[in-house]
Amino acid sequence: MHAHSFSPESAGRRRVGVLGLAAASTLLGTWEMHRLLSARGTTAPEVVLVALFALCFGWIALSFWTAVAGFLQLAFGGRLPGLRWPTTEEEATRLASRTSVVMPIHNEDPAAVFANVQATYESVAATGRLEAFDFYVLSDSTRPEAWVAEELAWADLCRRVGGQGRIFYRRRTDNAGKKAGNLQDFCERWGRHYDFTVVLDADSLMDGRTLVKMARLMELNPRTGIIQAPPLCVGRSTLFARLQQFAGRVYGPVVAAGAAAWQLGESNYWGHNAILRTTAFIEHCGLPVLPGQQPFGGHILSHDFVEAALMRRAGYTVWLVPELGGSFEQPPPNLLAYAQRDRRWCQGNLQHLSLVMAGGLHPISRGHFLMGVMSYAASPLWLLFLVSGLVAALHDGWVSLGPAVLKAAEPRFDADGALRLMSVSMGMLLAPKLLGLGLALARGQDAARMGGRARLVASVLVESVLATLLAPVMMLFQSHFVFGTLLGYRVSWTSQQREDADLPWAEAARRHAVHTGVGVALAVAAFLLSPGLLAWLAPVVAGLVLSIPLSVLTARASLGLWAERRGLFLIPEETEPPGVLERAQDVTETHAGAPVADAVDHVLTDARAHALHLALLESQPGPETGSAALASARRKLLGGGAEPLSTPEKVAALLDAGTLAEAREQRLTRVAS
């Protein structure tokens, strides 16, 4: 089926509708806020309050109208104009292109990584189009044990599926540029052998039919540079993860469809679960190294937004295509892991401030940069709004009212108007949830696979309460990240926690002590000003005061599984799992294997690991001549002692084939004698 013809005029009408309504709503809301605060004349704190309200309300308004557009698109819109979709006859033909599927990894669990690769590979094979795809696992792992375990897992995978010559593994010795540098290295070495490249994350999983469809769309739309398939969160059991999975499944499609509906061919790239036109990506999407030092200078951390902007600047379109389906990832298992990931994204998005005015960018690309910044700046803005409100109340009540005899003559505060404005704001915040719930209820099959209509409604209510309580905690986390970045603190590059694990009370108390203290202080300050004000701030105060038990309890898989048994927070991908998800889980459980305890010892004592490692070393650069770490490692390995090697010594030894060969020969001789 072919899409309707795309024109800038149709895109313009959609954008005027969404952005114009968001702007009009912001103006009306800000005017009403100004009216409420100016009843007795406007003070300096109230001017600040109105300005902060305008920014925060504008962000809410844009999200609201995007969700409305998404609801209309899903309910009535069909496919978006602009992309040509294949006909039935075209879908039956072989792919004329070659596509690489690349997965950059960094100190991940090899069993889970290669299980996802295997499930994706077998799913592509089931389509009959495997000849058009090659798979690459691109390691940036710095832990020697992870490195050796990856080699063994790759060899086992190739043996199980007959993937020799189609599934490749490469580990970099220089981690420059992090994930973006890893992809750049791939592009420079092998990229031009492929028409398209699918980028995955370490926890990504994709249905083979989706990959084939993405490659087909790229063939049929030669001016398309990137197609993003929004990933759905699946696969974790903690209560926090189940809340994320449920929200992503019920509300996420509305937001994604809305963004796609008004952005069209100027959509964004999320860095994974997307297909790129390889030559265009190589020629136009090279990332600059920003001037100055981190956190604002150096290598760009959130590279995906920048690559999408550069692709669009080169004349290629970028599409978000929610209807593709078959695209999955895993959510963080707890609030602290979620915040850790956000810390890195925050610094990366704030770097984009220096790129907003870069030459030649499409206006929507500049908008993406600003929206990325606002996704984190919104938290400190809300925090400043709360503080300004308290200051304004203090100023208005204790400073600017004057003698008590004058108070009776002054205009009274419009409490009803304030309640109306708050109700409108809360309604706009909750709208994506209600619209998503409405669509799920209207689609009886979806509701049945989410526990039935009654349990679905109950799940939305409970999720909304818990999300409201967790929101102020994330507001403080993100405010800390933003202010920390502005003060010059940089993030470290660490692997993400992906596995379910209970959060110790002591760790939660350490990380949330400040949040709890802020909640208590806010409650006391609000009560002293006015007991009514404390009632207004109750959700914020409750979330902060309860942050420690909330963080601990939502991190528990036992509570998540308890909710699942009672039909709460169910998603269709659990009640009727797609084949690729079931296969990945089965392979993970069947081929987990024992972890590598000591990388060097394993390579020296296991003949298969030794031969495999030396064979893979042929593609690696040698160690630095005269390396102190290598000299120390040789002394320990060949001196006959039992002194353990440090991590740098292990890495140096594992990179030197001569040292490994000598050490293994010495061990074999010692055993034989």
Side-chain angles (χ1 to χ4, degrees):
M1 175 178 171
H2 294 263
H4 296 96
S5 59
F6 171 71
S7 68
E9 290 76 16
S10 64
R13 286 192 295 271
R14 288 168 176 261
R15 289 164 190 171
V16 167
V18 172
L19 300 179
L21 287 169
S25 302
T26 303
L27 288 173
L28 287 173
T30 304
W31 178 259
E32 178 66 5
M33 186 68 174
H34 175 264
R35 185 187 69 80
L36 293 171
L37 293 177
S38 62
R40 288 190 291 253
T42 305
T43 63
E46 289 166 352
V47 171
V48 174
L49 197 64
V50 170
L52 290 170
F53 177 84
L55 290 171
C56 295
F57 193 84
W59 185 240
I60 294 174
L62 178 59
S63 301
F64 169 76
W65 289 111
T66 296
V68 170
F71 176 82
L72 296 175
Q73 183 67 39
L74 291 173
F76 311 110
R79 283 178 174 161
L80 295 174
L83 272 180
R84 184 191 161 208
W85 288 76
T87 63
T88 304
E89 294 75 15
E90 287 170 333
E91 285 182 337
T93 62
R94 302 176 74 85
L95 290 168
S97 56
R98 296 194 70 217
T99 300
S100 57
V101 181
V102 304
M103 179 184 283
I105 61 175
H106 175 71
N107 293 333
E108 301 286 347
D109 173 21
V113 165
F114 285 91
N116 283 2
V117 174
Q118 179 172 342
T120 302
Y121 179 93
E122 291 176 346
S123 184
V124 173
T127 68
R129 302 287 185 265
L130 184 60
E131 77 285 347
F133 293 85
D134 286 341
F135 290 73
Y136 289 80
V137 177
L138 308 174
S139 174
D140 258 349
S141 295
T142 53
R143 291 195 304 108
E145 286 68 33
W147 173 11
V148 171
E150 288 164 6
E151 294 177 343
L152 295 170
W154 166 72
D156 287 341
L157 168 60
C158 290
R159 177 181 50 79
R160 289 197 300 269
V161 302
Q164 294 84 355
R166 197 168 291 282
I167 304 176
F168 304 95
Y169 169 83
R170 183 274 285 137
R171 175 188 173 272
R172 280 201 306 170
T173 55
D174 178 8
N175 298 144
K178 302 181 174 59
K179 179 182 175 181
N182 198 353
L183 289 171
Q184 180 182 347
D185 179 80
F186 165 81
C187 289
E188 291 172 352
R189 293 190 184 206
W190 302 289
R192 293 189 185 274
H193 297 300
Y194 300 95
D195 300 286
F196 316 125
T197 297
V198 174
V199 181
L200 303 180
D201 255 0
D203 61 345
S204 293
L205 186 63
M206 293 197 73
D207 191 293
R209 292 167 295 184
T210 302
L211 290 175
V212 171
K213 194 178 298 182
M214 291 166 78
R216 184 85 65 190
L217 286 171
M218 293 294 275
E219 287 184 353
L220 294 174
N221 297 272
R223 296 307 299 174
T224 292
I226 302 175
I227 293 177
Q228 175 71 61
L232 185 67
C233 287
V234 296
R236 295 268 62 90
S237 298
T238 67
L239 181 57
F240 182 85
R242 293 186 60 76
L243 291 170
Q244 300 298 306
Q245 291 169 184
F246 178 78
R249 187 61 172 83
V250 180
Y251 326 137
V254 174
V255 177
W262 70 265
Q263 293 169 13
L264 297 178
E266 282 85 34
S267 291
N268 216 344
Y269 165 44
W270 299 357
H272 57 95
N273 294 44
I275 190 167
L276 319 172
R277 191 169 299 276
T278 312
T279 300
F281 186 79
I282 293 171
E283 293 178 352
H284 302 292
C285 297
L287 295 175
V289 177
L290 300 178
Q293 300 297 314
Q294 282 200 27
F296 288 101
H299 290 287
I300 294 174
L301 297 183
S302 293
H303 56 93
D304 38 16
F305 281 38
V306 182
E307 289 159 345
L310 294 174
M311 185 70 81
R312 189 67 194 93
R313 184 173 73 173
Y316 293 89
T317 54
V318 179
W319 293 88
L320 175 66
V321 187
E323 60 263 42
L324 281 169
S327 174
F328 307 101
E329 65 176 346
Q330 292 178 343
N334 59 58
L335 180 62
L336 295 183
Y338 185 92
Q340 177 197 17
R341 185 184 68 176
D342 251 23
R343 174 70 183 91
R344 186 175 67 251
W345 289 359
C346 175
Q347 179 178 324
N349 282 19
L350 291 181
Q351 284 181 313
H352 296 164
L353 280 171
S354 62
L355 301 173
V356 170
M357 300 310 296
L361 296 183
H362 192 281
I364 298 295
S365 297
R366 302 186 199 279
H368 284 309
F369 287 152
L370 293 175
M371 286 188 284
V373 171
M374 190 61 186
S375 65
Y376 290 96
S379 286
L381 288 173
W382 276 116
L383 180 61
L384 291 172
F385 178 75
L386 286 175
V387 173
S388 299
L390 291 174
V391 171
L394 180 64
H395 188 276
D396 197 42
W398 292 357
V399 178
S400 65
L401 290 181
V405 293
L406 298 178
K407 292 182 181 177
E410 292 173 348
R412 295 179 64 248
F413 179 71
D414 186 356
D416 291 339
L419 185 60
R420 283 195 304 273
L421 184 58
M422 181 183 177
S423 299
V424 169
S425 301
M426 292 303 298
M428 294 174 78
L429 277 171
L430 293 173
K433 297 177 185 286
L434 297 176
L435 294 174
L437 174 62
L439 283 174
L441 291 173
R443 298 168 178 171
Q445 185 178 8
D446 278 359
R449 292 189 297 165
M450 287 187 271
R453 286 186 168 86
R455 287 188 179 89
L456 175 58
V457 172
S459 296
V460 169
L461 291 174
V462 176
E463 188 277 336
S464 298
V465 171
L466 290 174
T468 300
L469 292 173
L470 292 171
V473 184
M474 280 309 302
M475 175 185 69
L476 287 191
F477 265 132
Q478 292 179 339
S479 298
H480 171 69
F481 300 157
V482 171
F483 292 136
T485 301
L486 294 175
L487 292 172
Y489 295 108
R490 66 173 72 181
V491 299
S492 58
W493 191 35
T494 57
S495 56
Q496 298 178 35
Q497 179 188 344
R498 303 193 192 276
E499 297 305 313
D500 297 339
D502 285 356
L503 180 66
W505 282 95
E507 175 68 6
R510 184 180 69 84
R511 297 290 296 276
H512 294 295
V514 172
H515 304 149
T516 305
V518 170
V520 172
L522 183 62
V524 171
F527 182 79
L528 291 176
L529 282 171
S530 165
L533 180 60
L534 178 58
W536 281 65
L537 293 175
V540 176
V541 169
L544 294 175
V545 171
L546 297 173
S547 57
I548 294 172
L550 277 173
S551 194
V552 170
L553 295 176
T554 56
R556 292 188 174 171
S558 57
L559 284 178
L561 295 172
W562 178 88
E564 181 184 8
R565 289 192 296 271
R566 281 151 184 79
L568 296 175
F569 315 125
L570 286 177
I571 60 175
E573 288 69 23
E574 291 175 312
T575 51
E576 296 179 16
V580 69
L581 289 180
E582 286 190 307
R583 182 57 177 155
Q585 182 63 33
D586 179 60
V587 174
T588 301
E589 294 172 355
T590 305
H591 300 286
V596 174
D598 184 288
V600 173
D601 185 69
H602 196 87
V603 169
L604 294 180
T605 55
D606 186 293
R608 175 170 167 269
H610 183 79
L612 174 63
H613 185 78
L614 290 185
L616 288 172
L617 271 187
E618 293 181 4
S619 62
Q620 296 275 6
E624 295 180 13
T625 305
S627 161
L630 178 59
S632 179
R634 286 181 60 84
R635 177 180 59 77
K636 293 178 179 180
L637 287 172
L638 304 177
E643 190 178 353
L645 274 64
S646 67
T647 297
E649 290 168 348
K650 288 181 180 180
V651 172
L654 288 170
L655 282 171
D656 189 65
T659 296
L660 293 175
E662 287 182 57
R664 177 167 169 78
E665 183 65 29
Q666 189 179 89
R667 289 201 181 194
L668 292 176
T669 302
R670 193 181 303 137
V671 170
S673 61

